[in-house]
């Protein structure tokens, strides 16, 4: 690119402080809050965070290197952004080791459909790459941020771990840890990170203020530490000098990016490779695309523990419709798929591409009514819940303990 061109692109994408303020007012994405007017603009988010859009060529390379079909979350742009995913594909191709890291803040007794997204995708990646996976349960974070007791946070942890195990993770390759218990093992890396990040940086990245609990300021290094392989000496040899260069890939929703921008920033100074990331969009609330499904608002969420009747009631009553007000108008003008929540949920959970396309075309052209699309969705969600509840009932306390035991993995 010539200098002139470069200047041109900078001029067209640069914004004034006022415009930035306006954008921020219309779209807020932090690890604790997601809101927007008229839906999240993900391209804007990529620009703002400085990540990279996942283009079709990268998906093709993924398929070529792994020899596996890309997951529909990738094909449909649900995982839409990344940082250094190419480095992971290079490592895989060269037979170099790497591992997966994801996590969950246990803030409610059951997972909801939105929580499923990163875990379903992480399980797919674990199967495709056949690599170790560590899952951090941030009960410390939820205790600090939510109005819950520490005992409640610990109780939620076990219940959420059961949900996660029920998704089918391989016990030979998966280590799940509760921060409150595992923190001693993480601590050497937590203080190394803490030594290299200033209070000003924490304030700048996370927006904490002087009257926030000091525990919040201390938390980001705790979420960062698992991105460094030597935080797990029982998995990666502590005596092998190559351990520090083992790469990490973090699948997460894009609201977690601030933690890992910080992590990537200090990684080279501590002698580690920068962790790679693959970001998902937010699973919308039943009420619409302006915010994500949230455990803090029971009406916005369909839980994996919901009964068929509850699923049906929630979807029928609350799922925002892009359809028209009357049957006649719907038949004449069709639905707006862009804002229709039920169609968007089908995009996540109806795997059959042909069927999805057919429903989309018929709904948009008025040949299907909202009630029919909702009925289809309810059938799919009820079936996912039925299977999940069956699998979860088989996860005993002993199995939970086994996944959470500090031990060697086989990979
Ligand atoms: N902070 C995340 C949450 O509130 C939990 C988490 C910890 C996480 N480590 C992670 C999520 C790594 C994704 C990737 O849910």
């Amino acid at each position: 690119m010539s200098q002139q061109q470069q200047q041109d692109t900078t001029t067209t994408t640069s914004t004034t402080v006022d415009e930035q303020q306006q954008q921020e007012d219309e779209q807020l994405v932090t690890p604790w809050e997601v809101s927007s007017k008229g839906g999240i603009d993900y391209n804007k988010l990529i620009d703002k965070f400085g990540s990279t859009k996942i283009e079709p060529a990268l998906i093709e390379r993924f398929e070529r290197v792994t020899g596996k079909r890309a997951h529909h979350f990738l094909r449909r742009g649900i995982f839409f952004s990344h940082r250094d995913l190419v480095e992971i594909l290079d490592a895989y191709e060269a037979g170099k080791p790497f591992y997966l890291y994801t996590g969950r803040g246990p803030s409610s007794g059951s997972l909801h459909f939105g929580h499923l997204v990163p875990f379903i995708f992480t399980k797919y990646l674990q199967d495709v790459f056949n690599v170790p996976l560590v899952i951090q349960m941030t009960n410390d974070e939820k205790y600090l941020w939510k109005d819950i007791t520490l005992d409640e946070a610990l109780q939620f942890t076990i219940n959420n771990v059961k949900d996660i195990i029920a998704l089918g993770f391989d016990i030979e390759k998966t280590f799940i840890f509760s921060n409150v218990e595992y923190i001693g093992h993480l601590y050497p890396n937590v203080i190394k990170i803490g030594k290299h990040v200033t209070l000003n940086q924490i304030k700048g990245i996370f927006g904490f203020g002087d009257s926030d609990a000091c525990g919040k300021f201390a938390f980001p290094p705790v979420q960062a530490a698992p991105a460094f392989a030597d935080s797990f000496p029982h998995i990666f040899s502590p005596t092998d000098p190559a351990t520090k260069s083992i790469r990490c890939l973090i699948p997460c929703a894009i609201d977690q990016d601030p933690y890992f921008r910080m992590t990537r920033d200090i990684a080279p100074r501590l002698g580690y490779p920068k962790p790679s990331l693959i970001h998902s969009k937010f699973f919308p609330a039943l009420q619409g695309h302006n915010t994500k499904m949230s455990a803090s608002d029971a009406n916005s969420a369909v839980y994996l523990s919901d009964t068929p009747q509850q699923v049906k009631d929630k979807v029928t009553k609350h799922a925002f419709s892009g359809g028209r007000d009357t049957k006649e108008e719907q038949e004449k003008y069709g639905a707006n798929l862009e804002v229709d929540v039920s169609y968007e949920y089908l995009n996540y959970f109806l795997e059959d591409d042909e069927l999805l396309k057919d429903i989309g075309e018929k709904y948009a052209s008025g040949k299907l009514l909202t009630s029919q699309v909702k009925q289809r969705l309810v059938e799919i969600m009820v079936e996912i819940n039925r299977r999940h509840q069956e699998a979860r009932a088989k996860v005993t306390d002993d199995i939970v303990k086994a996944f959470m035991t500090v031990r060697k993995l086989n990979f």
Side-chain angles (χ1 to χ4, degrees), residues 69-87:
R69 180 148 198 240
H71 194 274
H72 69 276
F73 286 173
L74 257 181
R75 300 198 310 269
R76 295 181 191 167
I78 290 167
F79 276 80
F80 72 108
S81 151
H82 76 101
R83 295 180 188 273
D84 289 348
L85 183 57
V86 175
E87 271 71 1

Side-chain angles (χ1 to χ4, degrees), residues 332-365:
K332 199 161 162 196
Y333 304 111
N336 178 358
L337 301 188
E338 296 272 298
V339 300
D340 192 273
V341 168
S342 304
Y343 181 72
E344 182 62 11
Y345 287 7
L346 288 177
N347 190 38
Y348 277 78
F349 293 110
L350 175 58
E351 284 176 38
D352 186 327
D353 291 332
E354 289 301 308
L355 200 53
L356 180 72
K357 193 167 157 237
D358 186 58
I359 292 174
E361 280 167 8
K362 289 188 174 141
Y363 192 27
S365 65

Side-chain angles (χ1 to χ4, degrees), residues 84-334:
D84 289 348
L85 183 57
V86 175
E87 271 71 1
I88 293 293
L89 295 179
D90 289 348
Y92 183 71
E93 222 172 13
K96 291 199 184 129
F98 66 93
Y99 68 107
L100 296 162
Y101 160 40
T102 192
R104 154 89 188 132
S107 59
S108 59
S110 166
L111 297 198
H112 59 55
F113 273 76
H115 298 138
L116 270 182
V117 173
F119 285 107
I120 289 177
F121 192 64
T122 302
K123 156 130 175 60
Y124 162 82
L125 292 177
Q126 181 183 53
D127 291 345
V128 163
F129 290 124
N130 188 27
V131 289
L133 160 67
V134 296
I135 302 178
Q136 178 179 51
M137 303 300 295
T138 55
N139 35 28
D140 46 354
E141 177 191 20
K142 292 300 146 176
Y143 170 67
L144 283 163
W145 265 270
K146 301 269 168 176
D147 188 18
I148 55 174
T149 65
L150 190 54
D151 278 344
E152 281 168 329
L154 295 173
Q155 195 52 48
F156 292 157
T157 303
I158 299 305
N159 283 325
N160 288 188
V161 167
K162 285 190 177 174
D163 276 326
I164 293 167
I165 293 172
L167 299 175
F169 289 100
D170 182 348
I171 193 162
E172 295 291 329
K173 296 188 197 73
T174 308
F175 173 54
I176 307 179
F177 60 100
S178 143
N179 273 355
V180 169
E181 278 143 50
Y182 191 71
I183 193 69
H185 303 263
L186 283 183
Y187 201 57
N189 280 340
V190 169
I191 49 170
K192 281 183 206 166
I193 298 162
K195 185 166 175 168
H196 290 87
V197 183
T198 67
L199 196 62
N200 269 332
Q201 285 170 318
I202 294 278
K203 284 182 179 174
I205 301 169
F206 298 98
F208 304 154
D210 286 358
S211 49
D212 273 308
C214 79
K216 291 188 181 180
F217 290 85
F219 177 73
V222 178
Q223 181 155 333
F228 301 145
D230 58 359
S231 293
F232 305 97
H234 53 290
I235 304 177
F236 307 107
S237 163
T239 51
D240 184 349
T243 291
K244 272 191 91 169
S245 58
I246 296 177
R247 288 190 175 275
C248 174
L249 171 61
I250 307 171
C252 61
I254 190 144
D255 62 337
Q256 298 298 307
D257 190 67
Y259 286 111
F260 303 118
R261 284 206 293 273
M262 181 196 88
T263 313
R264 286 168 55 86
D265 201 44
I266 43 101
R269 246 178 298 164
L270 295 174
Y272 300 99
K274 293 183 179 195
S276 299
L277 293 153
I278 183 159
H279 297 123
S280 74
K281 293 179 177 170
F282 305 114
F283 190 71
L286 282 166
Q287 285 71 17
H289 285 78
N290 290 350
T291 186
K292 63 174 179 175
M293 187 172 269
S294 160
S296 328
D297 176 1
N299 269 335
S300 83
V302 182
Y303 290 90
L304 296 177
S305 56
D306 282 347
T307 62
Q309 192 59 45
Q310 284 172 317
V311 174
K312 186 169 178 220
D313 286 348
K314 285 185 188 178
V315 171
T316 320
K317 284 192 202 130
H318 299 295
F320 186 82
S321 169
R324 307 285 163 169
D325 289 342
T326 64
K327 187 166 179 272
E328 290 68 33
E329 281 181 35
Q330 171 65 10
E331 281 166 358
K332 199 161 162 196
Y333 304 111

Side-chain angles (χ1 to χ4, degrees), residues 8-51:
D8 287 346
T9 36
T10 353
T11 333
T12 46
T13 54
S14 77
T15 46
T16 66
V17 173
D18 274 358
E19 277 167 349
Q20 266 174 18
Q21 189 55 49
Q22 206 186 342
Q23 275 182 13
E24 266 155 31
D25 289 343
E26 281 169 9
Q27 174 161 311
L28 179 72
V29 175
T30 73
W32 307 281
E33 200 182 341
V34 174
S35 69
S36 70
K37 292 178 190 145
I40 309 282
D41 183 333
Y42 286 100
N43 286 327
K44 245 188 218 169
L45 211 53
I46 284 179
D47 281 349
K48 192 174 169 209
F49 283 4
S51 61

